[in-house]
Amino acid sequence: MRESQWWLISLGAAALMVLLLTVHMGLMHLAGLLRAAGVDLGDVRSFAAVMARGRSAVQLIFYLLFLAAALYHGLYGLRSVLLEVTPPRRQGLLSGLVLLAGLAAFAYGTYVTVRTFTG
Amino acid sequence: MRAKDGLQGRAAAESAAAVVTVRVFRFHPETSAPPRYQDYRVPAAPGMTVLDALVHIKERLDATLAYRSSCRMGICGSCGMFINGFPRLACQTQLHTLGSLVQVEPLPNYPVVRDVVPDLEPMVRHHTSVRPFLIRKDGEREPPTAEYLQTPEELEGYLQFAYCIKCGLCLAACPTVATDPDFTGPQALAQAYRYCADSRDDGLAARRAALDSLHGVWRCHLAGACTEACPKGVDPALAIQLLKRLAVATALGLGRRRLAPQAPPPVAVQRRPDIPAPPPPTVEVRHGGGSG
């Protein structure tokens, strides 16, 4: 793939994160505001609510998408920064290492999310 | 007699001029002596440029000094130097604007051939890599078989980038070139845009490997130092941003534009008797497609 395509994916990941982060913030941290607006979600941070969300297929997809978008966007930016201080001969290696780190983090995050889903 | 008067007048002007110290970077690759700086005291007559000062040093003070120059009027781009910490053309830089101490060094980000002569090979290599010439998918080659039809608006789209004189100052100023020697660089990228934006050209796909890569347009941080350094008012930083837009539009399959058509061949046109016929070509001209 061309570099512009990687960059476009990074932009797409950022746009997705804005959407998912808005939902996450609304659900988890702005419950008071929502309540004032007439939407009462109850105690979203109670143990029972957290476990219920963990067993929801929608939440599973939500968190996996969030994880993928955040990892891609963050690691793409990190790679861009590290490329500045990496000699040209080692830049391919750097891209490989960043990709490996991303895949490992995604695998671990997926494992945790799926384990929660399956109970 | 007149020449003698001129020489006397020049000598009088020099004796009346302020004296500046020109500190020149000296390096000779065929000696074991390390690089050093050497000071010369030069009379700075009004209107004198840094290149004039170097000519004065070479002619009157030290014939071993090496520098590169040609046109003396900011057109050839030969005399790019690092003058008082900024890349400039020596022939366009007035001594009186620089104070009493003028430091002249070779351009950064290039190997040094000798003294203040840089090796511009990296710039030429990158320039060549972006294929800076008209590319047509219809097989038309230079010289074309007929005139291309281009509107003034289409010309405006790339004209400022065509003013590049390949002096290499932009690469010397670029912080990204300093950290990544494989970066295509502002000069080559601006020239790539100059051709990609030309309505007669259809070569973006052929240039994409050099442009849309790890060391292409995406390495630019938009520091803007190239634009600041350009002695001809070209804006390479803008060209790189426009190239990014082109690359993204191409990746999304957008932004196709009309390729300039060729004019129909003239019909029933006769040469005016007062206009002489052109001389016969000195090289064989082959029209049409094909390589070679």
Side-chain angles (χ1 to χ4, degrees):
Chain A
M1 280 216 302
R2 298 276 181 212
E3 201 62 26
S4 58
Q5 289 163 314
W6 296 119
W7 184 75
L8 275 173
I9 295 173
S10 166
L11 283 195
L16 186 62
M17 276 169 57
V18 168
L19 187 71
L20 298 178
L21 202 58
T22 305
V23 174
H24 171 82
M25 290 294 286
L27 284 178
M28 304 300 296
H29 305 291
L30 303 174
L33 277 179
L34 288 176
R35 201 171 297 123
V39 181
D40 191 0
L41 299 171
D43 185 4
V44 291
R45 279 177 280 184
S46 69
F47 179 79
V50 170
M51 293 312 289
R53 275 200 307 276
R55 292 199 180 94
S56 155
V58 173
Q59 289 289 327
L60 174 76
I61 295 166
F62 179 95
Y63 281 119
L64 288 182
L65 278 176
F66 201 168
L67 180 65
L71 275 174
Y72 184 85
H73 189 80
L75 289 174
Y76 180 81
L78 178 68
R79 168 180 170 262
S80 298
V81 173
L82 292 178
L83 281 173
E84 298 297 319
V85 292
T86 308
R89 283 183 295 114
R90 298 199 177 149
Q91 288 178 350
L93 176 68
L94 172 73
S95 296
L97 286 176
V98 170
L99 178 66
L100 273 180
L103 288 175
F106 185 73
Y108 181 66
T110 304
Y111 168 76
V112 171
T113 313
V114 170
R115 272 299 296 271
T116 311
F117 177 70
T118 57
Chain B
M1 181 68 185
R2 216 168 157 183
K4 192 178 172 189
D5 286 350
L7 283 174
Q8 284 174 345
R10 184 174 160 190
E14 283 185 359
S15 64
V19 174
V20 299
T21 301
V22 180
R23 180 168 292 166
V24 185
F25 179 88
R26 302 301 308 270
F27 167 67
H28 195 306
E30 293 170 4
T31 65
S32 56
R36 64 196 161 87
Y37 288 90
Q38 190 166 352
D39 288 355
Y40 301 95
R41 291 179 62 75
V42 175
M48 201 167 168
T49 65
V50 173
L51 181 60
D52 292 332
L54 294 176
V55 171
H56 177 91
I57 293 168
K58 187 159 179 84
E59 287 184 349
R60 302 186 181 202
L61 304 176
D62 186 351
T64 65
L65 177 66
Y67 57 88
R68 188 190 287 135
S69 71
S70 183
C71 73
R72 299 177 299 163
M73 57 176 90
I75 291 174
C76 74
S78 299
C79 63
M81 295 172 200
F82 201 55
I83 300 166
N84 277 13
F86 195 76
R88 312 170 204 249
L89 290 182
C91 69
Q92 280 194 327
T93 307
Q94 295 282 318
L95 267 185
H96 74 87
T97 63
L98 299 170
S100 57
L101 176 64
V102 178
Q103 185 157 307
V104 183
E105 298 165 280
L107 289 176
N109 300 341
Y110 293 100
V112 179
V113 177
R114 182 178 160 180
D115 293 341
V116 291
V117 181
D119 179 1
L120 298 179
E121 188 275 337
M123 179 186 73
V124 175
R125 180 163 40 88
H126 290 306
H127 182 66
T128 311
S129 74
V130 300
R131 310 185 72 188
F133 44 83
L134 292 183
I135 300 172
R136 303 271 296 193
K137 283 182 184 161
D138 58 13
E140 184 75 352
R141 298 176 61 228
E142 287 295 317
T145 49
E147 184 185 1
Y148 294 118
L149 299 176
Q150 187 170 61
T151 65
E153 290 74 26
E154 288 170 337
L155 173 68
E156 283 293 323
Y158 69 85
L159 183 60
Q160 72 138 314
F161 306 109
Y163 291 141
C164 172
I165 57 173
K166 288 94 183 163
C167 60
L169 298 192
C170 51
L171 272 85
C174 177
T176 307
V177 172
T179 58
D180 181 2
D182 290 343
F183 175 46
T184 311
Q187 187 277 332
L189 291 174
Q191 289 314 289
Y193 183 75
R194 176 253 173 273
Y195 284 97
C196 289
D198 191 326
S199 62
R200 300 166 298 174
D201 181 87
D202 197 17
L204 177 59
R207 298 188 187 98
R208 221 173 147 207
L211 304 179
D212 194 0
S213 68
L214 198 58
H215 304 288
V217 290
W218 302 102
R219 296 296 289 143
C220 172
H221 304 178
L222 195 53
C226 50
T227 300
E228 205 176 327
C230 180
K232 305 307 286 185
V234 179
D235 191 347
L238 172 66
I240 296 172
Q241 301 316 303
L242 293 172
L243 269 180
K244 286 179 183 172
R245 188 165 74 178
L246 264 182
V248 170
T250 307
L252 294 171
L254 305 171
R256 300 193 191 284
R257 62 177 165 78
R258 182 188 74 101
L259 193 62
Q262 287 184 295
V267 179
V269 176
Q270 290 190 333
R271 183 178 304 285
R272 273 172 46 181
D274 55 328
I275 298 178
T282 55
V283 293
E284 185 188 356
V285 178
R286 285 182 298 174
H287 288 299
S291 59

